[in-house]
Structures are given as C-alpha cells and as structure tokens.
C-alpha cells in the first residue's frame, strides 16, 4: 500500500493553516519594505533589507549563536536568553550565509510547524462537525495568530516561533494521549524560553486529570523530562558564573525585571502609558501592555469557568510571571503563545463570522503599527 502524501498527513486543517501562514509572510516582507522607505533619512536610499530584521533581541541571539555566552567581549546580561533559539540558528547558519537570515529561516520554518499544530487544535475546538468547518476554524485561528498586535516577532529572528512550534505541538500530542512525544516536545520548549516550565506544569496537570483510559501511572516519571533543559541551563550558568541565580540577575540588570506586586506593576505601567513620562510612541506600546494583561486575565478566568484547568494554569503562570515585575513588558509577545486564545477565537468565528471581521478590522492596524515601530528601529516590543 502506498504511503499517504504530505497533504493527506497534514489534513485539511493543516493545509488551511499553512496557506494563511505563507500569505502572511508575504505581508511581512511588504511591511519591511514600507518601513525601509517611510523612515529613510533625508534623500538617502534605505539600507539593506535584512538590516530591518537585525534589531534588538535579534542581534543578541546572533551574538550568542556566533560567540556563545562567555566568549571575549560578550555581554553578561545575554544569559537572560535561553540557548534553544541560538542553537537552532547555529545549525541553520551552516547552510545560510548570513546570521540574521539564519534567524529568519528558523522563525519561518518553526512558524509553519506551529500553525499546523494550532490549526489541528482549532479544528478540535470547533463545535461544528465536518472537515470543512475544521479547516475554517484552523484558517481563522492562524489568521488571528498572524494578525496579533505583536505578530512582527513571528517573522523576526526571535524565539517566539520556535517556542510555539514546540509548545503547540506538545499540547496537541498531550491531547492525543501521546505522552512521550508531548514531554519531549515540551523539553524542546523549555530549552527555548522559560515559559516551557509553565507548559510542563500544564501537561503534568493534563496527565493527572486524564482518565485511566488516557494514561497509565507508570508514565508518571515522564513528567520530569520537560524541566531538565531549564535546570540544565541553570546548572551551566552556575558552573560559569558561580551564581545559581545568574538568569534572574541578568533579567534585572539588562531589562529592569525585578519582583513587584501586581498593583505596583500595573501602576508603574499606567504611568508610563498615560502619565506623560514616556515619548508618545513608547507610551502607546505601554498602553498595549495594559490591554494584553486585561486580555490575559479575562482568558484565564474564562478557562477557569470552562474548567479547562491545564490551559488556565499555563496562561495564568505566564501572566503571573510578567505581571509581577517592575512594569509590564513583552506581554503582547507572550500573548502570541497562548494557544487557547487563538483556537477559541477561531472556533467562535466559524459560528459567528462577524468575529473575524471585527478582529481583522481592529487588530490588523495595531499589528501594522507595532511592526513599523520595530522595523524602523524605534521600539523593541
């Protein structure tokens, strides 16, 4: 018997998600071209196209991939970035001539994997029977994902896409009761971002709440696998710095991330957003941070009401980690990784098409604004 082709293995929902992803990458190319010309200096032609993408954290990832964490002249705060994405860049750079381009390739390929898993999760989310409805839900969820306010970071050489590829696929595997695959993929996520620990907690809770027909207690030790890369990285930093808390100290030194209670963090972010203490474009981005926190809080509460405990745990831990620092920072980027938000919106839009119209009309302009700020070097996000 002939093996099924790639299209058959992807299914209608996977193909629908990939179509949206591919077209959206063309849109990002257009935005980068726009930023190059809109923000060119005087009568000079804009610089190289790749220079639009080699900014902020992308440059840090290039430095880590090329020079490591502790090479001559390296910045000690760069240990705040987990090694998974720089390692992937190093591998791709073996065949891609440019470090920035290598990061873009990793994000493009990983994003394709992420949206396939997201599409399958969204198809499962739909209350409407039939493959056509499942494919529509997958396309909707992917469209909402790529039009999110911080979606430019899905195109840049940042770690969001690689983490999403591991995390979304891990959750899909857990929902299919493929526990070995789920924990291995979650371990990959833990090597990319600290959020992998939140994913590990969600998968552990999913395992514990699953009935005996879905899991066996002899599989319980598998739940330790996802935390191993994070603890291994902590041990590696301790061996090189003598500091068990080198990661936290780098966060504080480089990005002013120190523990604050949620009210203090909200008040400080509010002052940055509306207190005329920041430039207008910076204040606007802090306003987005506040909106993202509100969305995350509402999503967590909704998941709790729906008794979707593992997903509520994942989103809640992510929100707690970002909501208890000096001020809210990078919450819209973290929102990209909240797969329940995209899958539920995708399924809802199948039943209520006006949801897609409303989302696209409101979110797309915000996404374009954030993308132009990033691509013109005015804001890191």
């Amino acid at each position: 018997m002939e093996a099924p082709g790639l299209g058959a293995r992807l299914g209608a929902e996977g193909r629908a998600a990939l179509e949206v992803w591919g077209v959206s990458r063309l849109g990002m190319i257009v935005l980068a071209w726009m930023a190059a010309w809109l923000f060119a200096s005087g009568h000079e032609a804009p610089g190289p196209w790749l220079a639009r993408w080699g900014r902020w954290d992308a440059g840090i990832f290039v430095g880590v991939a090329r020079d490591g964490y502790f090479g001559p002249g390296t910045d000690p705060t760069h240990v705040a970035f987990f090694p998974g994405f720089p390692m992937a860049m190093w591998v791709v750079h073996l065949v891609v001539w440019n470090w920035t381009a290598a990061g873009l390739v990793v994000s493009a390929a990983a994003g394709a994997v992420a949206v396939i898993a997201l599409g399958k999760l969204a198809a499962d989310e739909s209350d409407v029977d039939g493959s056509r409805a499942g494919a529509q839900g997958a396309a909707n969820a992917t469209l909402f994902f790529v039009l999110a306010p911080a979606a430019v970071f899905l195109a840049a050489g940042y770690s969001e896409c690689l983490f999403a590829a591991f995390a979304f696929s891990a959750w899909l595997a857990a929902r299919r009761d493929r526990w070995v695959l789920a924990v291995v993929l979650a371990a990959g996520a833990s090597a990319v971002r600290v959020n992998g620990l939140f994913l590990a907690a969600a998968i552990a809770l999913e395992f514990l709440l699953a009935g005996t027909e879905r899991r066996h207690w002899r599989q319980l030790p598998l739940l330790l696998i996802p935390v191993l890369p994070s603890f291994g990285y902590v041990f590696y930093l301790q061996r090189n710095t003598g500091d068990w808390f080198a990661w936290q100290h780098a966060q504080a030194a480089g990005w002013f991330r120190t523990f604050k209670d949620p009210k203090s963090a909200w008040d400080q972010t509010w002052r940055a957003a509306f207190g005329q203490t920041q430039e207008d474009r910076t204040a606007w981005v802090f306003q987005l941070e506040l909106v993202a926190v509100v969305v995350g809080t509402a999503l967590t509460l909704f998941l709790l009401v729906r008794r979707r405990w593992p997903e509520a745990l994942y989103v809640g831990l992510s929100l707690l980690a970002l909501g208890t620092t000096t001020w809210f920072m990078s919450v819209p980027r973290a929102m990209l990784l909240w797969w329940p938000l995209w899958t539920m919106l995708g399924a809802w839009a199948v039943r209520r098409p006006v949801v897609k119209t409303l989302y696209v009309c409101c979110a797309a302009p915000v996404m374009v604004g954030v993308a132009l700020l990033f691509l013109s070097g005015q804001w890191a996000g």
Side-chain angles (χ1 to χ4, degrees), residues 6-229:
L6 177 61
R9 292 196 297 270
L10 288 176
E13 62 276 8
R15 294 193 300 273
L18 273 181
E19 288 173 2
V20 175
W21 176 252
V23 173
S24 71
R25 298 313 84 194
L26 296 177
M28 281 298 171
I29 292 173
V30 171
L31 278 177
W33 173 77
M34 288 173 54
W37 286 95
L38 287 175
F39 298 97
S41 300
H43 298 286
E44 296 180 5
W49 184 84
L50 277 176
R52 304 290 113 192
W53 300 101
R55 305 183 185 280
W56 311 106
D57 293 4
I60 295 176
F61 282 123
V62 167
V64 174
R66 184 185 58 219
D67 306 319
Y69 288 107
F70 301 107
T74 55
D75 188 331
T77 64
H78 290 179
V79 301
F81 294 81
F82 273 41
F85 188 78
M87 291 172 63
M89 287 180 62
W90 184 88
V91 172
V92 171
H93 187 258
L94 296 176
V95 294
V96 174
W97 78 100
N98 180 281
W99 281 106
T100 299
L104 298 181
V105 169
V106 173
S107 289
V113 174
V115 298
I116 291 171
L118 183 68
K120 292 182 179 296
L121 289 168
D124 292 346
E125 190 82 38
S126 177
D127 293 333
V128 182
D129 294 330
S131 60
R132 184 177 179 183
Q136 185 59 58
N140 289 344
T142 305
L143 182 65
F144 297 158
F145 180 58
V146 300
L147 290 182
V152 66
F153 299 104
L154 299 175
Y158 275 51
S159 62
E160 273 74 12
C161 268
L162 187 59
F163 180 87
F166 281 120
F168 297 176
S169 300
W171 188 250
L172 179 65
R175 293 297 300 165
R176 300 288 195 269
D177 306 329
R178 302 177 65 184
W179 299 108
V180 174
L181 180 60
V183 297
V184 170
L185 290 169
S190 292
V192 176
R193 294 173 68 96
V194 71
N195 309 54
L197 296 178
F198 312 150
L199 174 66
I203 290 176
L205 185 56
E206 178 74 11
F207 179 88
L208 295 174
L209 295 177
T212 54
E213 70 281 359
R214 291 187 56 202
R215 54 100 174 103
H216 302 285
W217 287 115
R218 66 174 179 272
Q219 298 172 307
L220 186 64
L222 294 173
L223 301 180
L224 294 175
I225 292 176
V227 305
L228 296 179

Side-chain angles (χ1 to χ4, degrees), residues 338-361:
W338 298 341
W339 72 82
L341 177 62
W342 313 120
T343 60
M344 289 191 300
L345 283 175
W348 189 19
V350 171
R351 301 187 297 273
R352 298 287 187 273
V354 69
V355 171
K356 181 162 68 173
T357 303
L358 181 63
Y359 181 93
V360 170
C361 291

